[in-house]
């Protein structure tokens, strides 16, 4: 047991006659580690992108709600009356009448 630990610490398992088998395992594990790291970075990028898009959607929804509330205030009859009064127009006291045209046959 002591001899195997000592050979690992000295690195003799990498230069011995049957070291090709050890090198293949080391390269395979290194390749898997690189793939795992790349996959983790890719997942992190996607998480940040999802977070950014979620925040952007919230901002756009807020801007939409703000615009809709402004539009509702502008469409109110009292607001229209004030804007029209500035231009010198008044609301008629006489209600409008429908004009009907009878078809002649």
């Amino acid at each position: 047991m002591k001899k195997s630990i000592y050979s690992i610490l000295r690195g003799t398992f990498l230069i011995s006659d049957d070291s090709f088998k050890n090198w293949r395992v080391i390269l395979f594990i290194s390749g898997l580690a690189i793939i795992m790291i790349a996959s983790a970075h890719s997942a992190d990028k996607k998480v940040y992108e999802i977070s950014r898009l979620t925040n952007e959607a919230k901002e756009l929804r807020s801007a939409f709600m703000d615009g809709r509330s402004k539009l509702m205030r502008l469409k109110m009859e009292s607001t229209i009356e004030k804007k029209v009064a500035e231009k010198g127009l008044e609301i008629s006291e006489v209600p409008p009448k429908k004009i009907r045209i009878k078809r002649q046959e």
Side-chain angles (χ1 to χ4, degrees):
M1 177 85 171
K2 214 174 201 185
K3 188 177 181 183
S4 64
I5 293 175
Y6 187 65
S7 78
I8 290 173
L9 290 176
R10 289 192 65 197
T12 56
F13 71 99
L14 296 175
I15 56 174
S16 64
D17 293 335
D18 61 345
S19 66
F20 181 70
K21 179 176 62 171
N22 296 335
W23 278 105
R24 284 193 322 187
V25 171
I26 291 172
L27 290 176
F28 178 71
I29 291 173
S30 298
L32 286 179
I34 290 172
I35 291 171
M36 190 176 85
I37 291 169
S39 175
H41 283 293
S42 175
D44 286 343
K45 281 183 189 177
K46 288 178 184 176
V47 167
Y48 287 131
E49 182 70 15
I50 289 170
S51 175
R52 185 186 65 79
L53 290 174
T54 302
N55 289 338
E56 186 177 343
K58 285 180 183 177
E59 289 175 9
L60 290 174
R61 190 176 298 120
S62 173
F64 168 73
M65 296 299 281
D66 185 44
R68 187 166 64 175
S69 66
K70 285 180 183 178
L71 177 65
M72 293 300 282
R73 278 187 301 236
L74 288 174
K75 285 172 48 177
M76 290 174 58
E77 187 177 353
S78 60
T79 307
I80 294 173
E81 285 177 10
K82 289 177 186 175
K83 295 279 185 184
V84 172
E86 291 173 2
K87 296 184 179 188
L89 299 174
E90 297 176 359
I91 295 177
S92 175
E93 298 294 328
V94 180
K97 295 181 181 179
K98 271 190 177 178
I99 300 175
R100 294 189 180 178
I101 299 175
K102 295 183 180 178
R103 182 182 273 184
Q104 294 179 356
E105 293 181 24

